[in-house]
Amino acid sequence: MIIEDAAYAFLEPNLRPSLFSLAPERTIYVGGFSKSIATGLRLGYVVAPAPHIDRLLEAIRATTWNVPAIISGLVTGWVEDGTLAKSEEARKQDGAER
């Protein structure tokens, strides 16, 4: 299995294909929003092959607390309305300037 951490992928100027896109049957793709939007957003996501989802859900439920529904709703809205993409682009530009 491959575990791909994409927390900072949005900063890459010449983004290569993800390992998940190249080998989806054996890659677990992990990302979050604390790097691309705000450090206080302790919300992430996992994309995994179907045979591994049940075990991942068990592990997540056993080791994490619930995210408040309002936070999940805000982030979902920001993904859908383009706020996330704008934030990532601004941080990418800022990083390139630094």
Side-chain angles (χ1 to χ4, degrees):
M1 289 300 299
I2 301 167
I3 298 175
E4 182 173 12
D5 182 351
Y8 291 100
F10 71 94
L11 292 174
E12 181 60 42
N14 300 311
L15 192 59
R16 295 184 181 117
S18 69
L19 295 173
F20 184 79
S21 72
L22 298 173
E25 71 285 351
R26 64 173 159 220
T27 304
I28 297 172
Y29 188 86
V30 180
F33 302 101
S34 64
K35 308 297 188 263
S36 61
I37 297 179
T39 57
L41 289 176
R42 311 308 299 167
L43 175 66
Y45 57 90
V46 177
V47 182
H52 301 285
I53 290 175
D54 288 340
R55 288 185 60 206
L56 284 168
L57 285 173
E58 288 176 18
I60 290 168
R61 288 183 182 130
T63 60
T64 63
W65 293 92
N66 244 351
V67 174
I70 192 164
I71 299 298
S72 298
L74 282 170
V75 172
T76 298
W78 291 337
V79 169
E80 292 173 348
D81 74 7
T83 299
L84 172 65
K86 289 176 189 170
S87 176
E88 288 179 345
E89 186 57 35
R91 288 178 185 250
K92 181 189 261 184
Q93 288 178 4
D94 182 56
E97 290 171 8
R98 291 173 189 247

